Structures are given as C-alpha cells and as structure tokens.
Amino acid sequence: MKTALTIAGSDPTGGAGLQADLKVFHACGVYGLSAVAALTAQNTGTVRASAAVPAEFLKKQLDTLISDIRPDALKTGMLYSIGSVLAVAEAVQGFELDNLVIDPVTVSSTGAPLIESGGLDILKMKLFPLARVITPNIYEATALSGVRIDSPDDMEKAARVLKSFGPEAVIITGGHLEHETVDLIYDGTLFHKVVGKKIPGEYHGTGCTFSAALTAWLAQGNTVIYAAEKAQVFVREAIRRAHAFGRGMKLLHV
Ligand code: PXL
C-alpha cells in the first residue's frame, strides 16, 4: 500500500485540516501519515483561535517519522508560522521527498487568517520551488500572483506567474467562479481545464479535500492531470453528501 503524509493544522470539526486529509487518504486507498503544524479552536461557524506548533517540534515530528517511513507523496495545508514553512522545506530537501503538493492556505472559509504575516512570501520562496503541484484557489492565486482574477483569461495569467515561482505544475481551483467549477492546470507548456457542475451552498474543507485527494492519487503513481480529474469528482461527491451537523457551513462527507 502507498503512503501519503499531511503536514497541516488541526480542525476539530474534521471538515478541513489534517483530520479531513486523513479521511480522504483512507477513502482514496492510501495509508495516511500526519504531522501537526498548527492548532485551531473552531466550529462550523467560526475560528476562535489558532496557534502554531513550535517549529522545533514540527521538525522533530518530521525527522522522526520520515527517517522511518518515507511517504510516497505529501501535502501541506495550514502551516501558520514562518518557522513551520522553513521546517517543511528542510525536511523535503533533507529527505529528497518528491510528490509534494502545496495547498497555500491563507484564510479559513469563515475568513480567519491561517498564516502569519509574511508567511506567504516565505512559502512562495522556499516551498514552491520544491513542489510537484501547488493548488491555490482563486483568492489565494490572486494573493500570491498579484493578478486579479475575474475571467478564465485572468486565471491563465495568474497561473503563468505562479509557475514562475518554481513548482512543476499549478492548479488553480475555481470553485468560486459562477455556475461551473473550473480547475485550471498549467505545467509550463499546456493549459488543461477540468470543468464540472458547481453545487450551490457553503461548504467547509473543499480545498483540503481536493489537495488531499490529489496527493493520494499522485502517491499511487498517477499523472497530475489524471489525479486532478479524479480529485474534482471526489470533491463533488463529498459535497453532494455533505452534513449540516452544526449551525454554520456544511461539512463534506468523505
Ligand atoms: O480549508 C483551509 C483550512 C486548512 N486547515 C485548517 C483549517 C482550514 C479552514 O478552516 O481550519 C486547520
């Protein structure tokens, strides 16, 4: 069985963060490993507090785990601190890990910041060049590239800028564009669109679920395009079966 590692924040609702990643890994047929980079106190309506795990402790988790089990793929989610970003970069380089997926998480679906000030620039400089794929949504792609995205052409423009930061491929997930979801994949040569029907409503954890499913299929040796197509379908099915357990956003069923 292949293994996939998530390095992410804890979300007590289980809808996003490392809890969601582990569920998705399991559902997609890989063995899930995890290292905790941050904690949140949140429910389906709000994030009340966030805290970083000390960078030295994240390093310890990664060294201890990876010196024993080498993951076939890994993803990062909420890293929160600059120290966490640097600890991940060190581990990826030190252990020469491939199949790194970076979900450049910036704010929660409820609007709370999930990375400290200056963290995105460090993520861009230190981790993007090591990545197989980065998976920003439209807001994150705008924040990272400086390109405002109002149209499919803008998505392509932003993807070119993001590719120049060094990842092998960029996937801008378009969950937030009108009636369709358009995930745009760019590998530096070709653009490939994965288009699907958008399901109306407010859902928590779609970005985490997409990047975790992508990671799981990369761990199993698939191409980026194949993994992205499967991941979009996986997210749509999870949205279709989402739960209204709390008073806020719905939680995806994985
Ligand atoms: O979906 C982004 C995300 C990632 N990680 C954690 C989160 C969230 C959104 O709330 O809580 C821990």
Side-chain angles (χ1 to χ4, degrees):
M1 191 175 203
K2 300 292 186 187
T3 61
L5 166 65
T6 174
I7 307 168
S10 163
D11 169 9
T13 73
L18 67 92
Q19 290 87 349
D21 293 342
L22 289 175
K23 287 190 268 184
V24 173
F25 288 163
H26 180 75
C28 296
V30 298
Y31 186 93
L33 307 164
S34 57
V36 190
L39 304 173
T40 68
Q42 67 176 297
N43 56 31
T44 58
T46 185
V47 179
R48 290 211 184 133
S50 296
V53 164
E56 280 308 315
F57 202 92
L58 177 58
K59 259 190 221 173
K60 198 56 106 187
Q61 293 178 69
L62 295 172
D63 284 345
T64 307
L65 178 69
I66 301 169
S67 60
D68 183 33
I69 306 172
R70 186 186 167 78
D72 295 296
L74 71 163
K75 68 157 276 191
T76 64
M78 175 189 183
L79 294 176
Y80 199 57
S81 74
I82 290 172
S84 292
V85 176
L86 296 175
V88 174
E90 199 180 299
V92 170
Q93 285 175 303
F95 289 100
E96 297 182 359
L97 301 176
D98 24 62
N99 285 331
L100 168 64
V101 173
I102 299 173
D103 184 6
V105 171
T106 53
V107 293
S108 76
S109 27
T110 51
L114 298 178
I115 190 153
E116 70 183 7
S117 166
L120 266 195
D121 283 338
I122 304 291
L123 192 73
K124 203 154 84 173
M125 284 187 316
K126 299 288 184 187
L127 274 186
F128 281 13
L130 307 175
R132 173 112 192 252
V133 193
I134 62 170
T135 64
N137 62 29
I138 284 178
Y139 300 118
E140 291 156 354
T142 296
L144 288 158
S145 68
V147 177
R148 204 183 122 162
I149 300 176
D150 292 318
S151 69
D153 277 355
D154 295 337
M155 271 174 100
E156 293 195 1
K157 214 181 293 172
R160 282 183 206 279
V161 174
L162 294 171
K163 175 73 178 94
S164 75
F165 300 141
E168 275 178 49
V170 176
I171 304 177
I172 301 181
T173 58
H176 305 278
L177 269 186
E178 309 209 338
H179 306 297
E180 286 183 330
T181 56
V182 183
D183 296 335
L184 178 72
I185 306 172
Y186 182 55
D187 63 5
T189 314
L190 294 172
F191 288 101
H192 181 90
K193 281 185 183 150
V194 186
V195 181
K197 189 170 172 286
K198 183 167 176 181
I199 302 172
E202 297 282 318
Y203 302 95
H204 177 59
T206 52
C208 299
T209 300
F210 178 84
S211 56
L214 182 81
T215 305
W217 280 302
L218 291 177
Q220 294 171 85
N222 296 296
T223 64
V224 170
I225 289 179
Y226 179 85
E229 284 172 348
K230 294 265 288 184
Q232 194 194 83
V233 172
F234 185 87
V235 172
R236 193 157 42 247
E237 281 311 303
I239 289 174
R240 241 190 258 290
R241 300 159 70 200
H243 302 284
F245 287 137
R247 288 188 290 272
M249 303 182 91
K250 287 191 185 159
L251 302 174
L252 303 203
H253 178 93
V254 170

